[in-house]
Amino acid sequence: MINKIGVLTSGGDAPGMNAAIRGVTRYAIQRGLTVEGIIRGYEGLLRHETRPLGRRDVGAIIHHGGTVLRTARCLEFKEKETQQKAAEYLREQEIDALVVIGGDGSMRGAEALSGFGFPTITIPGTIDNDMVGTQYTLGFDTAVNTVLESVNKIRDTAFSHDRVAVIEVMGREAGFIAISAGMASGAEAVLVPEHKVDLAALCQHLEESHRMKKLSSIVIVAEGAAKGSDVVDYIKEHTYLSPNLTVLGYVQRGGAPSAYDAIMAGRFAQKAVDSLLDGTHNCVIGLIDNKVVATPYAEAAKLRYPIDENLFELVHLLGR
């Protein structure tokens, strides 16, 4: 029987994490549970940094970026002995289950705890949108909108000076942000990790566009596809065009969550708590075919959703 749950955020922060903390806390209390917040993720769990969470403790955080519980990456938690100690500490604190908010690495930590018989649930929170078991992760929509706002501002300068604006965005292993922001902003080209980068073909594409009287171009580069600086240098060396570079960096992780991220945080939180109370645990909460579902970790590992290839092609067809 579950009476008390813990909640932590782990890995890279993402907009919507605070909304998820709020949702888990208030919905759990509504269902008759008590909630313990764990500070600084798995690192804080190992150092016994916890505090009770009540309704007022999570007030006015729904539209704050970052995470009020803080976060950290903890390499030490990869060791089985460490995981076992963490599970034992949770039981000592009379915590019956743990809700983890984070990305793939955070989910692996939750799955490891479940291997020691401790119930866990993972809520997907990463701007890269590249987790197994779900087609959507908290923070992705906000990150895309942040990139879109920046691109629209950069476009003004690119147009005024007849330039190629190369914009590097996050996405070490997946190009979801680059493709969605590229489509929404009308970018001419998008470079993503899922496709081999051909800078010679990119230059030819840009030159053809400018011969068609296009005065400026936007090229969005996912960090896992190529370094933005390398792309700029190549264009300078092989064309007559004038490229410049903007690396958006951590600005993509910050800020208040979009309406969609805040709404989904609440829906994911509800599903997480309901699942635990129904006896369904050791799962990742996800959005699959527009339905919020709880998928066992082992099954989720087989459900990895790729980028939309049609959208990738459409960006380039419409970008000229």
Side-chain angles (χ1 to χ4, degrees):
M1 184 176 179
I2 292 178
N3 296 303
K4 182 180 181 181
I5 64 171
V7 59
L8 64 79
T9 52
S10 174
D13 61 301
M17 280 186 165
N18 279 330
I21 294 167
R22 172 185 180 270
V24 168
T25 300
R26 289 189 171 179
Y27 189 71
I29 291 172
Q30 185 68 27
R31 293 295 307 269
L33 306 178
T34 56
V35 182
E36 191 80 5
I38 297 159
I39 314 302
R40 294 184 181 84
Y42 293 118
E43 180 181 294
L45 178 57
L46 297 179
R47 286 152 184 70
H48 304 172
E49 299 178 28
T50 68
R51 65 183 177 91
L53 293 178
R55 287 183 174 275
R56 300 284 73 81
D57 295 305
V58 295
I61 69 170
I62 187 170
H63 289 305
H64 288 186
T67 161
V68 295
L69 290 179
R70 307 293 193 272
T71 184
R73 300 186 189 278
C74 184
L75 296 178
E76 187 181 354
F77 203 77
K78 293 181 178 180
E79 300 172 8
K80 287 193 174 296
E81 184 179 349
T82 301
Q83 297 160 1
Q84 184 173 8
K85 287 181 179 178
E88 291 171 354
Y89 172 72
L90 288 167
R91 292 190 180 98
E92 288 171 7
Q93 299 305 302
E94 298 183 337
I95 295 173
D96 303 305
L98 179 67
V99 177
V100 172
I101 305 167
D104 269 333
S106 304
M107 184 175 70
R108 285 192 292 272
E111 186 175 10
L113 285 173
S114 72
F116 290 97
F118 192 86
T120 67
I121 285 278
T122 300
I123 292 177
T126 170
I127 67 169
D128 290 332
N129 201 46
D130 61 347
M131 279 183 68
V132 298
T134 184
Q135 293 169 315
Y136 164 80
T137 61
L138 295 180
F140 171 66
D141 186 67
T142 306
V144 170
N145 279 286
T146 297
V147 172
L148 176 61
E149 182 180 0
S150 298
V151 171
N152 286 340
K153 291 178 179 178
I154 292 167
R155 183 189 299 280
D156 293 342
T157 295
F159 177 81
S160 298
H161 295 272
D162 296 345
R163 288 178 178 170
V164 175
V166 177
I167 302 163
E168 183 182 308
V169 301
M170 287 185 172
R172 189 171 300 139
E173 298 179 359
F176 290 101
I177 293 175
I179 293 174
S180 292
M183 186 66 189
S185 66
E188 182 158 350
V190 172
L191 305 182
V192 297
E194 292 87 347
H195 286 262
K196 184 178 179 181
V197 173
D198 186 341
L199 293 181
L202 173 65
C203 288
Q204 182 180 353
H205 182 88
L206 293 172
E207 287 185 320
E208 288 176 357
S209 293
H210 282 250
R211 283 195 293 270
M212 296 164 62
K213 309 301 182 184
K214 190 173 179 69
L215 299 179
S216 63
S217 297
I218 300 291
V219 179
I220 298 182
V221 183
E223 62 183 343
K227 285 186 178 181
S229 56
D230 291 342
V231 176
V232 166
D233 290 344
Y234 192 94
I235 295 172
K236 282 181 179 178
E237 184 178 347
H238 293 86
T239 73
Y240 61 87
L241 301 171
S242 300
N244 56 18
L245 173 65
T246 303
V247 179
L248 293 184
Y250 286 133
V251 68
Q252 296 161 87
R253 282 190 183 173
S258 65
Y260 187 70
D261 273 331
I263 290 167
M264 291 308 301
R267 293 183 64 193
F268 281 178
Q270 180 185 42
K271 185 67 174 179
V273 174
D274 282 343
S275 295
L276 288 172
L277 290 175
D278 291 343
T280 302
H281 45 77
N282 307 334
C283 296
V284 58
I285 305 301
L287 185 70
I288 300 178
D289 296 333
N290 253 353
K291 294 180 180 179
V292 178
V293 296
T295 305
Y297 294 134
E299 184 180 335
K302 305 172 187 175
L303 299 176
R304 185 173 288 279
Y305 296 93
I307 59 172
D308 186 332
E309 292 292 343
N310 179 66
L311 196 62
F312 176 78
E313 294 294 332
L314 193 57
V315 169
H316 297 89
L317 290 173
L318 302 182
R320 286 186 169 175

